[in-house]
Amino acid sequence: MNYRPHFNLAAFDSLESQQKRLALLGKTAQIGEWSYVCATNFTVWSDYLYDFYEVDKHFECSDLLQNTHFYQGPEKEKMQALIAQVTATKTEHSDDFMIVMRDGRIKWHTTTIHPVLDARGNLTGLYGILQNITARKQSELELQRMAYVAEKTNGIVMITDPDKKIIWINHSFEKILGYRPEEVIGLDPAVFLQGPETSVDTIREIARSLRSSGTFSGEILNYTKSGEKIWLYLNIAAVYDDSGKLINYVAVENDITLIKMAEHRLQEAIEKERELNRFKTQFVNLASHQFRTPLATIRSSIDLLDLKMESADVNAPFVDLFQRHKAIMAEETVRMTELMENILDIGRIDEGKIELSKKQCSFKQFMDGFVESNREPVGQQRKLVYRFDAPDRIIGIDEILMRNVLRNIVSNAFKYSEGKQAPELTVTFRDDAYFIAVKDYGIGIPEKDQQFLFQSFFRASNAKVFPGSGLGLMIARKLIMLHGGDIQCQSAIGDGCLITIQLSI
């Protein structure tokens, strides 16, 4: 044997040194030993046994089975039977035992007893080796509890060893994936579950996540025994013993194939809707632009005919007839032009092509100017009953778009309250926001129709006799929302309508 100079080999080989090393090794490995001599009925323990049973060095070893609480009932009988078996057969035997500590904690150990024989084969004593297996037993019991729960669940549960080889699967594994336990025990699940379309990035992420944190949660595409694709949501967790050593991986997997199929169909539907919206926008833009030219021609032709009528020698009844039909054509031409403009506005808003051109202005001056220039266009020529019951503040708005919004709402208030008292426009202020309320006393809106009021081309069931396209309120809402505001409607049949716009300053 080679050793360094000045190394005291005699001291290293001394009985005292050997005993210290054995004690240290026993404690590290959690292994203790004992020796019993038949002639003296005396038992000797190594140091680790005192640590295991948590007693001091004055403890009488012979009292272990007789006068202590450690071995109770069947465990005590099992230890006595083991000793009797070794004594009778003069061969070594082992068994696992459970002991109960004073505070109720449970410990487990494996004890192996060897017979000590003299030259003639007579039994002179017993030599025992105890190994602490508490951590292992606790893990086994935990796995048993988990296995019991796993058998009761519809999800797939799989337990592997530290090398990711399967050691246990539940019934759902066989039911869903088609593999019997004897076909997969001892195999890495990646070998037979992953396939050509399984994401390589997901496989890498599982490995990385288990290395860094011992856990993984996420989706993966796997394959059943019959080759069918199956989407699984994985939850994998590493299991460690008390010393931090990796014991197992536990994977719980749920079949989410139907969910993934639904997501795929939804994505396809969304793509189709986007394509349809693109086509609709292109068509609307094309149609709207194409309509502008004939509408302009019609208006020009009406004006030319009007001029011609002034110089032509025609009788009065024909002139009256012409003027009536001219008014109808002019009104319908204006309505068609407004409809085309509204449709173009919708397309621009949906495509995000309308950008607000905000500028700072006195809100009272803006509202005063709007009210002054807006009254009932035909009929009674009613004026709005206007109240600005709010402090004047500087606010950032797109004045052109905001006038369009208010004009649309006010024109509706006049139109649907024909022959009634004039609509009211009131401005109030609270919580750093202006509230513009337009109240009319007209026909009102049926309750069943109110939820659709801000949808394209929708018109209330009692408003069909009035001209309109059903686009004004929808455009108004989109423009108000572009300003970061909101618009609400309250109404009842025969009791008019209240439209409220909220604008934060």
Side-chain angles (χ1 to χ4, degrees), residues 118-377:
D118 61 15
R120 290 192 291 267
N122 296 319
L123 184 71
T124 61
L126 299 174
Y127 173 71
I129 299 174
L130 177 148
Q131 182 176 10
N132 186 350
I133 59 170
T134 302
R136 191 191 80 193
K137 278 291 186 179
Q138 287 175 342
S139 297
E140 289 175 357
L141 290 172
E142 184 65 26
L143 289 175
Q144 288 174 7
R145 286 191 290 267
M146 291 171 58
Y148 177 78
V149 173
E151 283 295 354
K152 302 300 180 182
T153 183
N154 292 326
I156 297 169
V157 182
M158 172 176 56
I159 301 175
T160 73
D161 63 17
D163 296 322
K164 301 183 179 66
K165 300 296 191 300
I166 296 175
I167 60 175
W168 185 86
I169 59 173
N170 70 340
H171 179 66
S172 293
F173 190 103
E174 179 179 353
K175 182 179 178 182
I176 296 173
L177 297 175
Y179 291 97
R180 297 189 305 276
E182 59 267 25
E183 295 178 287
V184 300
I185 297 298
L187 298 180
D188 185 331
V191 172
F192 58 90
L193 290 181
Q194 296 171 7
E197 295 186 37
T198 302
S199 169
V200 175
D201 290 338
T202 300
I203 295 171
R204 290 191 187 124
E205 178 58 22
I206 292 173
R208 186 205 64 77
S209 185
L210 291 179
R211 283 196 305 269
S212 62
S213 67
T215 62
F216 172 80
S217 294
E219 301 172 354
I220 189 170
L221 175 64
N222 279 343
Y223 292 80
T224 66
K225 185 178 179 180
S226 61
E228 295 178 1
K229 296 177 185 177
I230 181 171
W231 279 95
L232 299 173
Y233 191 88
L234 300 181
N235 283 288
I236 307 175
V239 180
Y240 302 92
D241 64 16
D242 293 340
S243 65
K245 180 182 177 182
L246 176 63
I247 300 175
N248 302 103
Y249 287 106
V250 178
V252 179
E253 309 174 11
N254 290 293
D255 184 356
I256 58 169
T257 305
L258 293 178
I259 296 175
K260 295 296 289 186
M261 290 173 62
E263 288 178 354
H264 180 68
R265 287 194 295 268
L266 178 60
Q267 189 61 38
E268 286 184 336
I270 291 173
E271 288 300 323
K272 287 180 181 178
E273 184 179 358
R274 286 175 180 164
E275 185 63 30
L276 182 61
N277 286 336
R278 284 193 291 268
F279 173 76
K280 179 191 72 175
T281 301
Q282 292 170 359
F283 173 78
V284 167
N285 289 340
L286 177 62
S288 299
H289 285 297
Q290 292 300 320
F291 269 115
R292 283 180 172 181
T293 300
L295 286 172
T297 302
I298 292 171
R299 285 197 299 269
S300 177
S301 297
I302 292 172
D303 293 338
L304 288 174
L305 287 172
D306 196 23
L307 291 173
K308 187 66 175 176
M309 288 296 295
E310 292 178 1
S311 60
D313 186 14
V314 292
N315 57 46
F318 182 80
V319 172
D320 290 340
L321 178 65
F322 174 79
Q323 292 297 336
R324 286 199 303 272
H325 284 282
K326 171 197 166 186
I328 293 172
M329 287 187 290
E331 182 181 346
E332 292 301 317
T333 302
V334 169
R335 194 161 72 88
M336 182 65 75
T337 301
E338 288 178 350
L339 176 61
M340 291 299 101
E341 291 297 335
N342 285 339
I343 292 174
L344 281 173
D345 284 342
I346 292 172
R348 286 193 290 265
I349 292 172
D350 288 342
E351 291 179 350
K353 292 183 178 179
I354 286 188
E355 294 184 4
L356 298 182
S357 179
K358 286 187 176 183
K359 69 176 185 179
Q360 302 295 314
C361 66
S362 160
F363 194 62
K364 186 175 188 307
Q365 288 182 9
F366 170 78
M367 292 303 301
D368 290 349
F370 170 79
V371 172
E372 182 64 28
S373 61
N374 280 270
R375 63 174 61 200
E376 189 172 16

Side-chain angles (χ1 to χ4, degrees), residues 45 48-55 59 64-65 68-76 78-79 95-111 130-134 137-138 141:
W45 276 5
Y48 178 72
L49 291 183
Y50 293 98
D51 293 338
F52 178 77
Y53 288 105
E54 300 177 19
V55 295
F59 177 73
L64 185 64
L65 288 178
T68 69
H69 54 83
F70 294 116
Y71 295 88
Q72 300 178 3
E75 295 298 316
K76 184 175 184 179
K78 189 166 62 170
M79 178 60 80
D95 210 340
D96 293 345
F97 297 90
M98 180 186 76
I99 66 170
V100 181
M101 309 306 292
R102 290 187 183 277
D103 56 7
R105 285 178 295 118
I106 302 297
K107 285 188 175 184
W108 291 84
H109 68 85
T110 292
T111 287
L130 177 148
Q131 182 176 10
N132 186 350
I133 59 170
T134 302
K137 278 291 186 179
Q138 287 175 342
L141 290 172

Side-chain angles (χ1 to χ4, degrees), residues 434-463:
Y434 279 112
F435 292 84
I436 308 166
V438 179
K439 167 67 179 174
D440 70 63
Y441 297 90
I443 63 173
I445 304 169
E447 185 177 354
K448 65 183 179 63
D449 294 339
Q450 292 180 25
Q451 59 180 319
F452 308 109
L453 197 59
F454 295 100
Q455 293 185 4
S456 301
F457 301 106
F458 177 79
R459 306 198 68 213
S461 55
N462 62 338

Side-chain angles (χ1 to χ4, degrees), residues 454 472-482 486-488:
F454 295 100
L473 282 180
M474 190 272 285
I475 294 174
R477 186 178 197 184
K478 286 181 178 289
L479 293 177
I480 289 297
M481 292 177 70
L482 281 177
D486 194 15
I487 182 169
Q488 302 292 335

